[in-house]
């Protein structure tokens, strides 16, 4: 009887360890997919900023992300990690790129939450290739300006 009780405890412990391991793996996979969707939204945002810098406008609501493909800013219409196309909409003339998350539905919490980004135009100084102002306490004149940047003491 004592051996059966011991065997039952060992088996129960193994089952608990497997379940805990699966829960951990599921959480990690969900985090990775969420992170990939976030990176996808950021990449589309950058493509839209570049499009805006070149053409002075964003793609229309009708053409959306497809216009990025048509004009060579993307190879294909990208899909989120859950195999759904990223959403594109205009709010007051400003694009918003989003994925509906793991549950593929608007809203949600945690890994089911929407991942979105409002795309703002790039600074005009960056578009015209103007030099950025020097940081305070640095000089862009003289022999120091020609040295490559290195870490302090290097």
């Amino acid at each position: 009887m004592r051996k059966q009780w011991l065997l039952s405890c060992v088996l129960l412990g193994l089952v608990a360890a497997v379940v805990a391991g699966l829960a951990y793996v599921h959480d990690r996979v969900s985090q990775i997919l969420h992170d990939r969707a976030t990176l996808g939204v950021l990449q589309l945002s950058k493509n839209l900023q570049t499009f805006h810098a070149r053409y002075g406008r964003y793609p229309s609501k009708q053409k959306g992300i497809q216009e990025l493909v048509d004009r060579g800013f993307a190879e294909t219409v990208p899909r989120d990690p859950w195999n759904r196309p990223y959403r594109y909409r205009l709010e007051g003339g400003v694009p918003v790129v989003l994925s509906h998350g793991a549950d593929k539905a608007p809203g949600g919490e945690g890994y089911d939450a929407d991942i979105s980004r409002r795309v703002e135009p790039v600074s005009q100084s960056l578009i015209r290739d103007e030099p950025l102002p020097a940081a305070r306490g640095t000089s862009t004149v003289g022999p120091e300006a020609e040295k490559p940047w290195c870490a302090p003491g290097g």
Side-chain angles (χ1 to χ4, degrees), residues 15-88:
V15 169
V18 168
V19 169
L22 289 174
Y24 174 77
V25 168
H26 180 269
D27 187 62
R28 289 297 301 142
V29 168
S30 296
Q31 179 65 51
I32 289 167
L33 293 175
H34 191 270
D35 291 348
R36 283 186 58 211
T38 301
L39 290 174
V41 166
L42 289 172
Q43 182 61 51
L44 274 171
S45 297
K46 296 296 179 194
N47 290 351
L48 287 164
Q49 287 175 324
T50 305
F51 182 97
H52 184 270
R54 181 168 296 160
Y55 298 108
R57 65 177 180 82
Y58 293 109
S60 67
K61 182 179 176 184
Q62 293 76 23
K63 291 185 179 181
I65 296 172
Q66 181 61 47
E67 191 167 1
L68 293 177
V69 176
D70 296 345
R71 303 249 184 183
F73 290 90
E75 291 181 18
T76 62
V77 174
R79 300 179 83 76
D80 68 16
W82 302 280
N83 202 30
R84 304 211 10 128
Y86 287 96
R87 305 265 180 181
Y88 173 86

